[in-house]
mmCIF file of all heavy atoms in Angstrom:
data_model
loop_
_atom_site.group_PDB
_atom_site.id
_atom_site.type_symbol
_atom_site.label_atom_id
_atom_site.label_comp_id
_atom_site.label_asym_id
_atom_site.label_seq_id
_atom_site.Cartn_x
_atom_site.Cartn_y
_atom_site.Cartn_z
ATOM 1 N N ILE C 1 -14.113 -4.662 -5.022
ATOM 2 C CA ILE C 1 -13.455 -4.863 -6.233
ATOM 3 C C ILE C 1 -14.027 -6.166 -7.010
ATOM 4 O O ILE C 1 -14.634 -6.993 -6.309
ATOM 5 C CB ILE C 1 -11.902 -5.093 -6.139
ATOM 6 C CG1 ILE C 1 -11.624 -6.379 -5.372
ATOM 7 C CG2 ILE C 1 -11.304 -3.956 -5.489
ATOM 8 C CD1 ILE C 1 -10.177 -6.859 -5.408
ATOM 9 N N SER C 2 -13.721 -6.287 -8.263
ATOM 10 C CA SER C 2 -13.955 -7.498 -8.994
ATOM 11 C C SER C 2 -12.660 -7.840 -9.654
ATOM 12 O O SER C 2 -12.295 -7.303 -10.650
ATOM 13 C CB SER C 2 -15.111 -7.385 -10.015
ATOM 14 O OG SER C 2 -15.108 -8.559 -10.888
ATOM 15 N N ALA C 3 -11.961 -8.829 -9.023
ATOM 16 C CA ALA C 3 -10.594 -9.148 -9.581
ATOM 17 C C ALA C 3 -10.782 -9.762 -11.010
ATOM 18 O O ALA C 3 -9.957 -9.579 -11.850
ATOM 19 C CB ALA C 3 -9.968 -10.168 -8.637
ATOM 20 N N ILE C 4 -11.812 -10.484 -11.271
ATOM 21 C CA ILE C 4 -12.039 -11.115 -12.566
ATOM 22 C C ILE C 4 -12.377 -10.101 -13.729
ATOM 23 O O ILE C 4 -11.884 -10.268 -14.765
ATOM 24 C CB ILE C 4 -13.069 -12.221 -12.508
ATOM 25 C CG1 ILE C 4 -12.996 -13.132 -13.656
ATOM 26 C CG2 ILE C 4 -14.525 -11.558 -12.402
ATOM 27 C CD1 ILE C 4 -13.750 -14.401 -13.565
ATOM 28 N N HIS C 5 -13.021 -9.010 -13.306
ATOM 29 C CA HIS C 5 -13.363 -7.990 -14.319
ATOM 30 C C HIS C 5 -12.449 -6.778 -14.185
ATOM 31 O O HIS C 5 -12.399 -5.976 -15.141
ATOM 32 C CB HIS C 5 -14.762 -7.605 -14.141
ATOM 33 C CG HIS C 5 -15.719 -8.631 -14.487
ATOM 34 N ND1 HIS C 5 -16.742 -9.048 -13.645
ATOM 35 C CD2 HIS C 5 -15.794 -9.447 -15.595
ATOM 36 C CE1 HIS C 5 -17.453 -9.967 -14.143
ATOM 37 N NE2 HIS C 5 -16.884 -10.335 -15.320
ATOM 38 N N GLY C 6 -11.812 -6.550 -13.085
ATOM 39 C CA GLY C 6 -10.869 -5.392 -12.939
ATOM 40 C C GLY C 6 -11.519 -4.128 -12.206
ATOM 41 O O GLY C 6 -10.849 -3.229 -11.922
ATOM 42 N N SER C 7 -12.817 -4.213 -12.054
ATOM 43 C CA SER C 7 -13.538 -3.012 -11.529
ATOM 44 C C SER C 7 -13.087 -2.769 -10.043
ATOM 45 O O SER C 7 -12.994 -3.704 -9.234
ATOM 46 C CB SER C 7 -15.032 -3.109 -11.634
ATOM 47 O OG SER C 7 -15.438 -4.353 -10.878
ATOM 48 N N GLY C 8 -12.863 -1.567 -9.674
ATOM 49 C CA GLY C 8 -12.541 -1.184 -8.308
ATOM 50 C C GLY C 8 -11.069 -1.329 -8.042
ATOM 51 O O GLY C 8 -10.512 -0.837 -7.046
ATOM 52 N N THR C 9 -10.276 -1.976 -8.850
ATOM 53 C CA THR C 9 -8.885 -2.216 -8.589
ATOM 54 C C THR C 9 -8.031 -0.869 -8.669
ATOM 55 O O THR C 9 -7.012 -0.788 -8.016
ATOM 56 C CB THR C 9 -8.208 -3.289 -9.484
ATOM 57 O OG1 THR C 9 -8.496 -2.899 -10.906
ATOM 58 C CG2 THR C 9 -8.839 -4.684 -9.245
ATOM 59 N N GLY C 10 -8.538 -0.032 -9.510
ATOM 60 C CA GLY C 10 -7.776 1.282 -9.665
ATOM 61 C C GLY C 10 -7.764 1.997 -8.313
ATOM 62 O O GLY C 10 -6.712 2.463 -7.887
ATOM 63 N N GLU C 11 -8.943 2.128 -7.690
ATOM 64 C CA GLU C 11 -8.997 2.846 -6.427
ATOM 65 C C GLU C 11 -8.128 2.122 -5.319
ATOM 66 O O GLU C 11 -7.479 2.835 -4.537
ATOM 67 C CB GLU C 11 -10.447 2.835 -5.995
ATOM 68 C CG GLU C 11 -11.375 3.757 -6.775
ATOM 69 C CD GLU C 11 -11.873 3.045 -8.025
ATOM 70 O OE1 GLU C 11 -11.563 1.977 -8.356
ATOM 71 O OE2 GLU C 11 -12.646 3.731 -8.788
ATOM 72 N N LEU C 12 -8.152 0.762 -5.329
ATOM 73 C CA LEU C 12 -7.349 0.043 -4.388
ATOM 74 C C LEU C 12 -5.889 0.326 -4.615
ATOM 75 O O LEU C 12 -5.116 0.563 -3.693
ATOM 76 C CB LEU C 12 -7.659 -1.500 -4.640
ATOM 77 C CG LEU C 12 -6.725 -2.470 -3.770
ATOM 78 C CD1 LEU C 12 -7.172 -2.295 -2.344
ATOM 79 C CD2 LEU C 12 -6.997 -3.904 -4.225
ATOM 80 N N LEU C 13 -5.460 0.367 -5.886
ATOM 81 C CA LEU C 13 -4.051 0.627 -6.159
ATOM 82 C C LEU C 13 -3.544 2.066 -5.871
ATOM 83 O O LEU C 13 -2.493 2.251 -5.512
ATOM 84 C CB LEU C 13 -3.749 0.237 -7.648
ATOM 85 C CG LEU C 13 -3.707 -1.215 -8.006
ATOM 86 C CD1 LEU C 13 -3.708 -1.509 -9.458
ATOM 87 C CD2 LEU C 13 -2.513 -1.995 -7.279
ATOM 88 N N ASP C 14 -4.532 2.980 -6.065
ATOM 89 C CA ASP C 14 -4.225 4.388 -5.751
ATOM 90 C C ASP C 14 -3.932 4.449 -4.304
ATOM 91 O O ASP C 14 -2.993 5.285 -3.853
ATOM 92 C CB ASP C 14 -5.491 5.328 -6.063
ATOM 93 C CG ASP C 14 -5.621 5.528 -7.536
ATOM 94 O OD1 ASP C 14 -4.598 5.314 -8.312
ATOM 95 O OD2 ASP C 14 -6.681 5.912 -7.974
ATOM 96 N N GLU C 15 -4.588 3.741 -3.438
ATOM 97 C CA GLU C 15 -4.274 3.796 -1.988
ATOM 98 C C GLU C 15 -3.038 3.041 -1.661
ATOM 99 O O GLU C 15 -2.279 3.404 -0.789
ATOM 100 C CB GLU C 15 -5.493 3.160 -1.219
ATOM 101 C CG GLU C 15 -5.361 3.220 0.327
ATOM 102 C CD GLU C 15 -5.179 4.634 0.888
ATOM 103 O OE1 GLU C 15 -5.728 5.613 0.201
ATOM 104 O OE2 GLU C 15 -4.607 4.782 1.972
ATOM 105 N N LEU C 16 -2.888 1.969 -2.398
ATOM 106 C CA LEU C 16 -1.785 0.993 -2.131
ATOM 107 C C LEU C 16 -0.420 1.753 -2.372
ATOM 108 O O LEU C 16 0.535 1.618 -1.512
ATOM 109 C CB LEU C 16 -1.770 -0.201 -3.092
ATOM 110 C CG LEU C 16 -0.534 -1.153 -3.014
ATOM 111 C CD1 LEU C 16 -0.553 -1.912 -1.607
ATOM 112 C CD2 LEU C 16 -0.666 -2.231 -4.126
ATOM 113 N N ILE C 17 -0.246 2.504 -3.413
ATOM 114 C CA ILE C 17 1.072 3.057 -3.797
ATOM 115 C C ILE C 17 1.463 4.195 -2.698
ATOM 116 O O ILE C 17 2.627 4.559 -2.759
ATOM 117 C CB ILE C 17 1.093 3.662 -5.172
ATOM 118 C CG1 ILE C 17 0.052 4.735 -5.391
ATOM 119 C CG2 ILE C 17 0.831 2.572 -6.225
ATOM 120 C CD1 ILE C 17 0.194 5.397 -6.767
ATOM 121 N N LYS C 18 0.530 4.610 -1.893
ATOM 122 C CA LYS C 18 0.912 5.470 -0.794
ATOM 123 C C LYS C 18 1.855 4.840 0.123
ATOM 124 O O LYS C 18 2.589 5.496 0.876
ATOM 125 C CB LYS C 18 -0.356 6.028 -0.081
ATOM 126 C CG LYS C 18 -1.268 6.855 -0.956
ATOM 127 C CD LYS C 18 -2.520 7.284 -0.173
ATOM 128 C CE LYS C 18 -3.540 8.060 -1.028
ATOM 129 N NZ LYS C 18 -4.661 8.430 -0.294
ATOM 130 N N HIS C 19 1.852 3.521 0.164
ATOM 131 C CA HIS C 19 2.635 2.743 1.096
ATOM 132 C C HIS C 19 3.818 2.073 0.430
ATOM 133 O O HIS C 19 4.571 1.350 1.118
ATOM 134 C CB HIS C 19 1.849 1.724 1.774
ATOM 135 C CG HIS C 19 0.556 2.173 2.367
ATOM 136 N ND1 HIS C 19 0.615 2.889 3.593
ATOM 137 C CD2 HIS C 19 -0.742 2.141 2.045
ATOM 138 C CE1 HIS C 19 -0.677 3.200 3.942
ATOM 139 N NE2 HIS C 19 -1.523 2.902 2.943
ATOM 140 N N ILE C 20 4.044 2.360 -0.884
ATOM 141 C CA ILE C 20 5.098 1.646 -1.687
ATOM 142 C C ILE C 20 6.171 2.667 -1.952
ATOM 143 O O ILE C 20 5.883 3.665 -2.687
ATOM 144 C CB ILE C 20 4.486 1.143 -2.993
ATOM 145 C CG1 ILE C 20 3.461 0.062 -2.722
ATOM 146 C CG2 ILE C 20 5.591 0.493 -3.852
ATOM 147 C CD1 ILE C 20 3.911 -1.159 -2.022
ATOM 148 N N PRO C 21 7.421 2.473 -1.577
ATOM 149 C CA PRO C 21 8.492 3.313 -1.850
ATOM 150 C C PRO C 21 8.799 3.427 -3.371
ATOM 151 O O PRO C 21 8.676 2.371 -4.014
ATOM 152 C CB PRO C 21 9.615 2.946 -1.008
ATOM 153 C CG PRO C 21 9.315 1.364 -0.786
ATOM 154 C CD PRO C 21 7.866 1.283 -0.744
ATOM 155 N N GLN C 22 9.202 4.518 -3.847
ATOM 156 C CA GLN C 22 9.533 4.658 -5.295
ATOM 157 C C GLN C 22 11.011 4.157 -5.363
ATOM 158 O O GLN C 22 11.920 4.520 -4.724
ATOM 159 C CB GLN C 22 9.445 5.990 -5.764
ATOM 160 C CG GLN C 22 9.654 6.223 -7.271
ATOM 161 C CD GLN C 22 9.257 7.636 -7.776
ATOM 162 O OE1 GLN C 22 8.986 8.488 -6.957
ATOM 163 N NE2 GLN C 22 9.143 7.766 -9.103
ATOM 164 N N VAL C 23 11.194 3.272 -6.360
ATOM 165 C CA VAL C 23 12.512 2.728 -6.571
ATOM 166 C C VAL C 23 13.044 3.221 -7.988
ATOM 167 O O VAL C 23 12.345 2.938 -9.003
ATOM 168 C CB VAL C 23 12.467 1.182 -6.602
ATOM 169 C CG1 VAL C 23 13.885 0.560 -6.893
ATOM 170 C CG2 VAL C 23 11.988 0.692 -5.216
ATOM 171 N N THR C 24 14.096 3.875 -8.074
ATOM 172 C CA THR C 24 14.590 4.457 -9.323
ATOM 173 C C THR C 24 15.938 3.852 -9.792
ATOM 174 O O THR C 24 16.504 4.002 -10.840
ATOM 175 C CB THR C 24 14.757 5.943 -9.206
ATOM 176 O OG1 THR C 24 15.664 6.232 -8.093
ATOM 177 C CG2 THR C 24 13.427 6.596 -8.947
ATOM 178 N N ASP C 25 16.548 2.986 -8.925
ATOM 179 C CA ASP C 25 17.877 2.551 -9.263
ATOM 180 C C ASP C 25 17.929 0.962 -9.344
ATOM 181 O O ASP C 25 18.874 0.354 -8.821
ATOM 182 C CB ASP C 25 18.902 2.998 -8.270
ATOM 183 C CG ASP C 25 18.555 2.583 -6.841
ATOM 184 O OD1 ASP C 25 17.418 2.124 -6.587
ATOM 185 O OD2 ASP C 25 19.408 2.687 -5.915
ATOM 186 N N VAL C 26 16.818 0.370 -9.844
ATOM 187 C CA VAL C 26 16.908 -1.061 -9.977
ATOM 188 C C VAL C 26 17.838 -1.396 -11.209
ATOM 189 O O VAL C 26 17.507 -0.992 -12.240
ATOM 190 C CB VAL C 26 15.528 -1.615 -10.339
ATOM 191 C CG1 VAL C 26 15.511 -3.113 -10.520
ATOM 192 C CG2 VAL C 26 14.559 -1.175 -9.136
ATOM 193 N N PRO C 27 18.899 -2.083 -10.930
ATOM 194 C CA PRO C 27 19.758 -2.400 -12.060
ATOM 195 C C PRO C 27 19.256 -3.399 -13.033
ATOM 196 O O PRO C 27 18.477 -4.253 -12.643
ATOM 197 C CB PRO C 27 20.980 -2.888 -11.388
ATOM 198 C CG PRO C 27 20.528 -3.468 -10.078
ATOM 199 C CD PRO C 27 19.338 -2.622 -9.724
ATOM 200 N N GLU C 28 19.628 -3.203 -14.299
ATOM 201 C CA GLU C 28 19.228 -4.211 -15.302
ATOM 202 C C GLU C 28 20.118 -5.514 -15.033
ATOM 203 O O GLU C 28 21.307 -5.407 -14.823
ATOM 204 C CB GLU C 28 19.437 -3.746 -16.763
ATOM 205 C CG GLU C 28 18.406 -2.583 -17.115
ATOM 206 C CD GLU C 28 18.501 -2.255 -18.541
ATOM 207 O OE1 GLU C 28 19.006 -2.959 -19.359
ATOM 208 O OE2 GLU C 28 17.860 -1.265 -18.899
ATOM 209 N N THR C 29 19.470 -6.580 -15.111
ATOM 210 C CA THR C 29 20.237 -7.920 -14.889
ATOM 211 C C THR C 29 20.300 -8.729 -16.096
ATOM 212 O O THR C 29 19.279 -8.837 -16.900
ATOM 213 C CB THR C 29 19.543 -8.647 -13.690
ATOM 214 O OG1 THR C 29 18.163 -8.948 -14.105
ATOM 215 C CG2 THR C 29 19.569 -7.861 -12.401
ATOM 216 N N ASN C 30 21.417 -9.350 -16.295
ATOM 217 C CA ASN C 30 21.563 -10.320 -17.378
ATOM 218 C C ASN C 30 21.315 -11.674 -16.764
ATOM 219 O O ASN C 30 22.300 -12.407 -16.564
ATOM 220 C CB ASN C 30 22.934 -10.132 -18.093
ATOM 221 C CG ASN C 30 23.186 -11.172 -19.183
ATOM 222 O OD1 ASN C 30 22.108 -11.572 -19.820
ATOM 223 N ND2 ASN C 30 24.359 -11.505 -19.452
ATOM 224 N N GLU C 31 20.097 -11.986 -16.505
ATOM 225 C CA GLU C 31 19.761 -13.209 -15.738
ATOM 226 C C GLU C 31 19.767 -14.414 -16.638
ATOM 227 O O GLU C 31 19.544 -14.370 -17.842
ATOM 228 C CB GLU C 31 18.431 -13.074 -15.106
ATOM 229 C CG GLU C 31 17.220 -13.016 -16.081
ATOM 230 C CD GLU C 31 15.938 -12.836 -15.394
ATOM 231 O OE1 GLU C 31 15.852 -12.217 -14.291
ATOM 232 O OE2 GLU C 31 14.896 -13.240 -15.976
ATOM 233 N N ILE C 32 20.033 -15.551 -15.995
ATOM 234 C CA ILE C 32 19.960 -16.804 -16.680
ATOM 235 C C ILE C 32 18.689 -17.501 -16.098
ATOM 236 O O ILE C 32 18.601 -17.734 -14.880
ATOM 237 C CB ILE C 32 21.141 -17.759 -16.413
ATOM 238 C CG1 ILE C 32 22.405 -17.076 -16.972
ATOM 239 C CG2 ILE C 32 20.952 -19.134 -17.007
ATOM 240 C CD1 ILE C 32 23.663 -17.821 -16.755
ATOM 241 N N LYS C 33 17.721 -17.892 -16.905
ATOM 242 C CA LYS C 33 16.491 -18.485 -16.512
ATOM 243 C C LYS C 33 16.648 -20.034 -16.445
ATOM 244 O O LYS C 33 17.080 -20.617 -17.488
ATOM 245 C CB LYS C 33 15.332 -18.178 -17.405
ATOM 246 C CG LYS C 33 14.981 -16.641 -17.308
ATOM 247 C CD LYS C 33 13.719 -16.244 -18.173
ATOM 248 C CE LYS C 33 14.087 -16.246 -19.625
ATOM 249 N NZ LYS C 33 15.051 -15.192 -20.066
ATOM 250 N N VAL C 34 16.485 -20.648 -15.266
ATOM 251 C CA VAL C 34 16.762 -22.014 -15.076
ATOM 252 C C VAL C 34 15.407 -22.709 -14.574
ATOM 253 O O VAL C 34 14.935 -22.392 -13.506
ATOM 254 C CB VAL C 34 17.863 -22.192 -13.946
ATOM 255 C CG1 VAL C 34 18.125 -23.756 -13.877
ATOM 256 C CG2 VAL C 34 19.105 -21.463 -14.419
ATOM 257 N N ALA C 35 14.887 -23.678 -15.404
ATOM 258 C CA ALA C 35 13.647 -24.370 -15.057
ATOM 259 C C ALA C 35 14.030 -25.671 -14.462
ATOM 260 O O ALA C 35 14.927 -26.384 -14.905
ATOM 261 C CB ALA C 35 12.778 -24.477 -16.284
ATOM 262 N N ILE C 36 13.396 -26.045 -13.319
ATOM 263 C CA ILE C 36 13.678 -27.273 -12.629
ATOM 264 C C ILE C 36 12.449 -28.211 -12.982
ATOM 265 O O ILE C 36 11.396 -27.978 -12.576
ATOM 266 C CB ILE C 36 13.792 -27.090 -11.133
ATOM 267 C CG1 ILE C 36 14.861 -26.025 -10.838
ATOM 268 C CG2 ILE C 36 14.132 -28.348 -10.419
ATOM 269 C CD1 ILE C 36 14.841 -25.704 -9.305
ATOM 270 N N ILE C 37 12.746 -29.303 -13.716
ATOM 271 C CA ILE C 37 11.701 -30.126 -14.346
ATOM 272 C C ILE C 37 11.888 -31.606 -13.921
ATOM 273 O O ILE C 37 13.128 -31.999 -13.711
ATOM 274 C CB ILE C 37 11.791 -29.987 -15.869
ATOM 275 C CG1 ILE C 37 11.523 -28.592 -16.347
ATOM 276 C CG2 ILE C 37 10.745 -31.002 -16.595
ATOM 277 C CD1 ILE C 37 10.150 -28.056 -16.101
ATOM 278 N N GLY C 38 10.855 -32.295 -13.795
ATOM 279 C CA GLY C 38 11.001 -33.688 -13.485
ATOM 280 C C GLY C 38 9.668 -34.325 -13.035
ATOM 281 O O GLY C 38 8.616 -33.666 -13.016
#
């Protein structure tokens, strides 16, 4: 693959998703984004 150009990543991902379960019930969240700064 070339991560910087993207070549070959499609074939890698085609193989990857064989090991990734499909998720259909991810609830929408009303999240609060909190940045920790200092």
Side-chain angles (χ1 to χ4, degrees):
I1 68 167
S2 170
I4 196 167
H5 295 128
S7 58
T9 54
E11 290 81 358
L12 177 69
L13 288 168
D14 285 341
E15 182 62 27
L16 175 68
I17 62 174
K18 295 178 182 177
H19 307 285
I20 301 296
Q22 188 170 11
V23 178
T24 57
D25 58 347
V26 179
E28 291 188 14
T29 57
N30 182 24
E31 67 182 26
I32 299 176
K33 294 184 285 294
V34 183
I36 306 174
I37 299 294

